[in-house]
């Protein structure tokens, strides 16, 4: 609970009891670490931001005391007058393996390795078009984040020790929900790099639902929106050597769920521009363009809350097939019990068997 602007008692912004159920569910699975892909607690929308952050940590510490919680900063971590980019609270609360030497940018992007998996965490307000925070900070790194991303991707794909390249970030490159929509800025800047270096998996939030793509590489010829091009129709066993799978994991406990907003006609919307100046709501107005959602794979229309667990089978010998088994769990109302929505497998050749 927190205070509303008029002094009455309210829930923290966008919060529901599912936030606690999610943490309990994660502990039932007991992963080695947990990725948290942005819009951590919506403190920028509350009167008492510190109280909201404290409530966030009180909830998560039940899990984070046993395993690392590795965050990506989303648009609602951008708090007005809180540091030069509005990200001062996020940067203060989390100590992350950042290699950035500029204090203003420290901790906003970073990477780490677990076994044969290289995880690269990005802060997308630098490269997306949408105006979603308290202040508009698009382009704030002057290209430094993109340079970091390419350096990390190139190193990972040239290493015989890294099989899986996973990118965790907030805003999305695919979405068939009539919510925020996909962002052309990310498609323009990240898409060619993800294709060139064969990213296996992209994990996002932003949309408050669950959706995953088919394996995609390149774009549909002539598409104004740079529509990701599916390279396979497989949804159960997917070769990520052929293309990248995008997952939206946005069911972490937010009140404004969007699973009921999926387009039903096979289309999606993409932010293709924003206005030069803010509108009446203080944010730059997005221009949307529709596209055929040829890339969509699986969506959860019925359930608002859930999380995914990933288990890596490294294979048995050099050049063997390595597999990543994925389970998406629903966290069900009103008791927070878990049920399995779906399971699927990603696979690729181990990197130590490739000629270099």
């Amino acid at each position: 609970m927190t205070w509303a602007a008029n002094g009455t008692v309210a829930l923290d912004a966008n919060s529901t009891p599912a936030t606690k159920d999610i943490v309990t569910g994660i502990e039932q699975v007991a992963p080695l670490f947990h990725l948290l892909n942005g819009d951590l607690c919506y403190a920028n929308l509350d009167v008492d931001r510190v109280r909201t952050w404290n409530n966030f940590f009180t909830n998560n510490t039940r899990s984070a005391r046993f395993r690392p919680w590795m965050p990506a900063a989303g648009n609602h971590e951008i708090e007005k007058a809180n540091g030069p980019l509005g990200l001062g609270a996020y940067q203060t609360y989390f100590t992350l393996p950042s290699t950035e030497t500029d204090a203003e940018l420290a901790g906003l992007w970073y990477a780490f390795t677990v076994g044969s998996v290289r995880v690269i965490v990005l802060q997308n307000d630098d490269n997306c078009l949408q105006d979603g925070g308290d202040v508009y900070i698009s382009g704030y790194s002057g290209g430094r984040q993109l340079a970091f991303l390419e350096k990390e991707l190139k190193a990972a794909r040239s290493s015989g020790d890294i099989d899986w390249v996973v990118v965790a970030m907030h805003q999305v490159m695919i979405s068939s929900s009539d919510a925020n929509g996909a962002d052309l800025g990310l498609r323009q800047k990240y898409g060619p790099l993800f294709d060139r270096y064969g990213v296996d998996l992209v994990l996002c939030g932003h949309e408050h639902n669950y959706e995953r793509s088919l394996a995609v590489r390149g774009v549909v010829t002539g598409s104004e929106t740079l529509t990701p091009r599916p390279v396979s129709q497989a949804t159960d066993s997917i070769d990520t050597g052929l293309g990248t799978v995008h997952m939206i994991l946005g069911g972490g406990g937010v009140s404004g769920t969007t699973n009921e907003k999926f387009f039903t006609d096979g289309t999606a919307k993409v932010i293709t521009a924003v206005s030069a100046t803010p509108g009446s709501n203080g944010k730059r107005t997005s221009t949307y363009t529709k596209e055929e959602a040829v890339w969509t794979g699986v969506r959860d229309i019925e359930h608002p809350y859930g999380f995914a667990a990933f288990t890596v089978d490294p294979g048995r010998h050099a050049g063997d097939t390595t597999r990543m088994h994925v389970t998406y769990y629903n966290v069900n109302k009103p008791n927070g019990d878990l049920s399995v929505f779906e399971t699927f497998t990603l696979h690729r050749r181990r990197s130590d068997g490739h000629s270099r």
Side-chain angles (χ1 to χ4, degrees), residues 38 69 97 102 283:
W69 277 48
D102 186 335
K283 299 186 186 303

Side-chain angles (χ1 to χ4, degrees), residues 91-112:
Q91 291 169 297
T92 299
Y93 283 125
F94 295 99
T95 300
L96 299 165
S98 172
T99 57
E100 179 53 58
T101 56
D102 186 335
E104 182 177 306
L105 304 177
L108 299 183
W109 52 84
Y110 61 95
F112 61 97

Side-chain angles (χ1 to χ4, degrees), residues 8 33 48 112 123 132 147 161 165 167 185 231 322:
T8 60
F33 64 97
D48 190 337
F112 61 97
Q123 204 296 309
D161 297 323
V165 178
V167 174
V231 293
T322 174

Side-chain angles (χ1 to χ4, degrees), residues 173-224:
M173 294 171 63
I174 66 103
S175 172
S176 64
S177 177
D178 190 9
N180 293 292
D183 197 293
L184 182 62
L186 300 181
R187 289 182 176 182
Q188 290 171 327
K189 295 177 182 179
Y190 293 166
L193 295 178
F194 291 175
D195 290 343
R196 185 180 310 147
Y197 296 104
V199 170
D200 296 289
L201 183 62
V202 178
L203 304 174
C204 298
H206 205 43
E207 308 289 59
H208 301 161
N209 50 247
Y210 173 67
E211 181 171 16
R212 66 179 170 96
S213 75
L214 302 170
V216 295
R217 181 150 298 162
V219 301
V220 174
T221 302
S223 58
E224 175 187 356

